[in-house]
Amino acid sequence: MKKLLIFLWIVTVSGNVVAQQNKMVEASMNKVKLKFMLDQEGRACYAVSFSGKAVVEKSLLGIDLLNDPAFDQQLEIIKTETTQVNELWHPVWGEVSSIRNKYEQLVVQLRQKNSPNRLMNIIFRVFEDGLAFRYEFPKQPGLKYFIVSNERTEFHLTGNHKAFWIPADYDTNEYKYTTSKLSEVDSWKVTKAATDIAVRVAPDQQGVQTPMMMKSVDGLYINIHEAALQDYSAMQLHVDKNTYNLTVRLVPDAVGNMAYLYAPCKTPWRTILVSDHAADLLASKTILNLNEPSVIENTSWIKPMKFVGVWWEMQTGKSTWSYANRSDTLNAQGQLIPNGTHGANTANVKRYIDFAATHGVQGVLVEGWNVGWEDWFGNWKEKVFDFVKAYPDYDVNEITAYAASKGVKMIMHNETSGAATDYERQLDTAYRFMNKFGFPAVKTGYVGKIIPRGEHHDGQWMINHYIRVLEKAAEHQVMVDVHEAVRPTGLHRTYPNFIASEAGRGNEYNAFSDGNPPEHETILPFTRLMGGPMDYTPGIFKIKGYSDVKGRQVHTTLAKQLALYVTMYSPVQMVADQVENYETHMDAYQFIKDVPVDWDDTKILEAEPGDFVTIARKEKGKGNWFLGAITDENARKTTVELNFLDRNRKYVATIYADAEQADWQENPEAYAIYQYIVTSATKLRLNLAKGGGAAVSIMPFVSGSQKVKKYK
């Protein structure tokens, strides 16, 4: 991570402490302005504005400690320090090849007026698109080991904003998004209705999860989240429906505490992104910038990829994860009696390997390969899976040799059933197994209630567990795609082997429940994806007819499934359907074959949360561009300017569009493919069906190789 350019200067203000107590301290960057002050009770307060408009009105800051005086009042300023930073760095993989990290930092050093006069710093960073702050506890005689019992951070909003939210659940982020005014937040109503989610713990009726997206009546787009979540519990928000004040709530542990810390230490960053253009928030790299540089020195083994998998057929009920119907169905020799529907068998997996080798897919994921699936969920048992022992019908040696002969990589699957303690005991064994058979990546899962019992998916113990897994994986040069975990906070900068996660309501909910509404994918970029890439599993071509349940279908058109490869960013993208469902649509499949997963540049062309998103991305190391446009339940016509293309150069644009009569409910698999010569002056007109989309590949024109008409 070489820093190409850094400007740094520091201004320190100190002196008479009493004279500073009523002083307002400011920091700003472009349109964003921060004000910090202490009120009459010695409480730390801050306010934020954008272009002169209030974003966050005067709000309190502070930390409560268990059985110790809180850092919430009777504070005094002992020094302030201002720093300006401007640097450029290059991610290992990502949406862009270089990232500008430019901010003004304000450090406010505080001291308790009463004995033992302990110290706490509040660090602010102001960016062009928002700001962040965190609490820091320096090394000091009066504070060593301590327990956080509450965090008093507030975000006092200016009005009854339109909000896109899910309940503040301790164990899942897999809800549909609700769009409502802040005054209408009722998480219990949503939680009660979400019967398709197995484990739900949402004790705060007015609690919402972050990232939380909002839009004010005067046109400001505001996103609140956190960055660099380590050794602390996840942040949620309590909504005061009368004052529109949001207060931080932390996820507790088994005995009700929020975090166990030892000074010196820092909390995660609390982030506020703001703009008067929605697209600016999707382009923001502030959350990523707030994370530390990579701790992995040699990253050459971290390679983005696409993969197929034995997965969707089990989600839709065609096959099963389990080898037998029950763990007690044994023959006379004490062996499991096969049910005949086990998906992870050698012959079936070879079909997926063949498809991957023939059609340009680098990897194959196999779920249900290892013993334990007969009795894996719902019993809160600790010893569930063996992470190195395969079922009798899955030959690991034969499969890996066959894949290697075809130039295909196998991807490991480690479901834990929430038994994190058991997984940690097997980590070394599991990752040595991956190295032995050449697995470059693992998909982990945490379906169910957590063990240690009483802990939650988003509590401090599990936050540290996820880090331990990433560190162990890095030791063995394995990439990690984690499911059912806490929502990401930009840690893939620090751990670039953290290649993706789920932590949201993915495409699989269309397989076994009432599905995801057409607006869902237009909200996710503004919420779940703000903290990091999502393994959403796009690419379903058989939109209807995969289920015996009447009316069950994917709630998009086929063309929208293609567009999701661009709009739903991930450096690992699943080619998620059963391979046979691609065989009848190989012309449409060509986009999946062509679209990369690593990028040099990204342009957010237009966006409105809950309505539409259009994004163009440039392939890493090549001159090819790919464009995705999606809409909600409403049909949409849009014109896209291709001014991001190189001037004086011709391109061939292949447009994968909704057919004229396409409709996500009535005619979802209807699509049309067109090719045209385009340039940077072209204005491309796209017609998106209800619940539809368009995917476009734009590749440099090679003279004499193609007969394509010019776009008009």
Side-chain angles (χ1 to χ4, degrees), residues 524-643:
L524 281 170
F526 291 95
T527 51
R528 160 61 187 80
L529 274 83
M530 293 300 294
M534 181 177 183
D535 184 14
Y536 188 71
T537 63
I540 304 302
F541 275 19
K542 191 173 182 61
I543 306 296
K544 290 185 173 184
Y546 54 79
S547 173
D548 294 333
V549 178
K550 184 178 180 180
R552 182 163 292 174
Q553 66 163 101
V554 178
H555 293 186
T556 72
T557 64
L558 188 150
K560 185 175 183 179
Q561 287 291 310
L562 296 178
L564 294 177
Y565 283 94
V566 180
T567 63
M568 297 289 291
Y569 170 65
S570 178
V572 286
Q573 290 280 25
M574 190 174 194
V575 184
D577 209 342
Q578 297 170 216
V579 293
E580 58 267 28
N581 292 334
Y582 294 120
E583 301 290 353
T584 55
H585 300 291
M586 291 309 296
D587 54 350
Y589 177 83
Q590 186 64 41
F591 183 83
I592 296 179
K593 187 174 183 178
D594 291 337
V595 67
V597 290
D598 201 9
W599 310 97
D600 270 337
D601 198 7
T602 291
K603 305 292 184 184
I604 312 299
L605 303 180
E606 56 179 359
E608 181 66 27
D611 292 335
F612 56 84
V613 174
T614 302
I615 298 176
R617 305 188 193 270
K618 186 179 183 182
E619 183 174 359
K620 178 67 70 67
K622 296 184 179 181
N624 303 326
W625 284 83
F626 294 82
L627 185 149
I630 62 173
T631 186
D632 59 2
E633 69 278 4
N634 299 304
R636 185 168 188 268
K637 297 180 185 293
T638 185
T639 299
V640 178
E641 296 186 14
L642 303 185
N643 52 16

Side-chain angles (χ1 to χ4, degrees), residues 394-409:
Y394 186 76
D395 191 320
V396 179
N397 289 290
E398 182 178 346
I399 285 292
T400 51
Y402 187 77
S405 72
K406 300 275 187 173
V408 173
K409 296 289 187 180

Side-chain angles (χ1 to χ4, degrees), residues 112-172:
Q112 293 174 326
K113 290 182 179 180
N114 301 322
S115 180
N117 305 114
R118 293 174 302 181
L119 306 174
M120 179 182 74
N121 302 332
I122 303 179
I123 306 172
F124 295 92
R125 288 184 183 175
V126 184
F127 299 82
E128 292 185 346
D129 57 9
L131 84 158
F133 56 89
R134 74 188 328 175
Y135 303 95
E136 178 183 50
F137 299 94
K139 183 178 181 180
Q140 54 192 292
L143 189 67
K144 292 185 179 180
Y145 290 98
F146 61 102
I147 299 173
V148 175
S149 61
N150 187 32
E151 184 176 324
R152 293 182 175 267
T153 304
E154 296 179 348
F155 306 87
H156 195 168
L157 303 173
T158 61
N160 194 14
H161 300 335
K162 179 181 181 181
F164 303 84
W165 59 274
I166 58 175
D169 196 300
Y170 295 168
D171 286 294
T172 182

Side-chain angles (χ1 to χ4, degrees), residues 38 120 291 329 377 680:
L38 295 179
M120 179 182 74
N291 282 266
T329 55
F377 175 75
S680 61

Side-chain angles (χ1 to χ4, degrees), residues 198-199 374-381 384 416-418 447-449:
V199 178
E374 286 75 24
D375 185 24
W376 74 283
F377 175 75
N379 296 316
W380 216 3
K381 58 186 277 190
V384 184
T416 69
S417 189
V447 177
K449 293 190 289 187

Side-chain angles (χ1 to χ4, degrees), residues 137-348:
F137 299 94
K139 183 178 181 180
Q140 54 192 292
L143 189 67
K144 292 185 179 180
Y145 290 98
F146 61 102
I147 299 173
V148 175
S149 61
N150 187 32
E151 184 176 324
R152 293 182 175 267
T153 304
E154 296 179 348
F155 306 87
H156 195 168
L157 303 173
T158 61
N160 194 14
H161 300 335
K162 179 181 181 181
F164 303 84
W165 59 274
I166 58 175
D169 196 300
Y170 295 168
D171 286 294
T172 182
N173 298 273
E174 298 184 5
Y175 292 95
K176 300 175 188 175
Y177 279 89
T178 299
T179 304
S180 74
K181 296 291 187 181
L182 289 171
S183 61
E184 298 168 349
V185 167
D186 185 346
S187 68
W188 288 356
K189 180 179 179 181
V190 175
T191 304
K192 183 178 180 180
T195 56
D196 50 4
I197 302 174
V199 178
R200 308 189 298 281
V201 181
D204 185 355
Q205 187 172 6
Q206 274 72 59
V208 297
Q209 186 62 277
T210 72
M212 185 184 185
M213 184 69 198
M214 293 168 286
K215 184 180 181 180
S216 69
V217 292
D218 55 355
L220 288 184
Y221 296 88
I222 305 165
N223 185 280
I224 297 178
H225 191 31
E226 62 180 324
L229 173 58
Q230 298 190 69
D231 199 24
Y232 206 74
S233 61
M235 179 183 79
Q236 300 176 338
L237 300 171
H238 174 81
V239 180
D240 188 315
K241 298 164 71 170
N242 298 313
T243 66
Y244 319 124
N245 189 28
L246 310 182
T247 308
V248 166
R249 295 287 189 269
L250 301 176
V251 176
D253 72 353
V255 296
N257 295 325
M258 308 304 169
Y260 302 83
L261 303 178
Y262 178 82
C265 59
K266 301 173 182 177
T267 69
W269 296 95
R270 280 67 185 96
T271 64
I272 306 168
L273 301 180
V274 58
S275 179
D276 48 11
H277 292 90
D280 293 345
L281 269 63
L282 298 189
S284 175
K285 294 294 178 283
T286 290
I287 290 174
L288 201 57
N289 277 327
L290 289 162
N291 282 266
E292 295 298 317
S294 174
V295 297
I296 303 173
E297 292 185 7
N298 172 22
T299 59
S300 61
W301 51 274
I302 301 174
K303 299 182 185 298
M305 64 193 305
K306 282 176 283 190
F307 64 97
V308 293
V310 183
W311 176 77
W312 186 254
E313 65 177 70
M314 295 181 287
Q315 296 287 352
T316 57
K318 177 185 176 183
S319 64
T320 59
W321 282 271
S322 62
Y323 174 75
N325 288 332
R326 298 193 315 273
S327 59
D328 59 354
T329 55
L330 307 176
N331 61 21
Q333 290 74 42
Q335 300 167 326
L336 289 171
I337 300 174
N339 55 23
T341 59
H342 183 224
N345 65 77
T346 300
N348 190 37

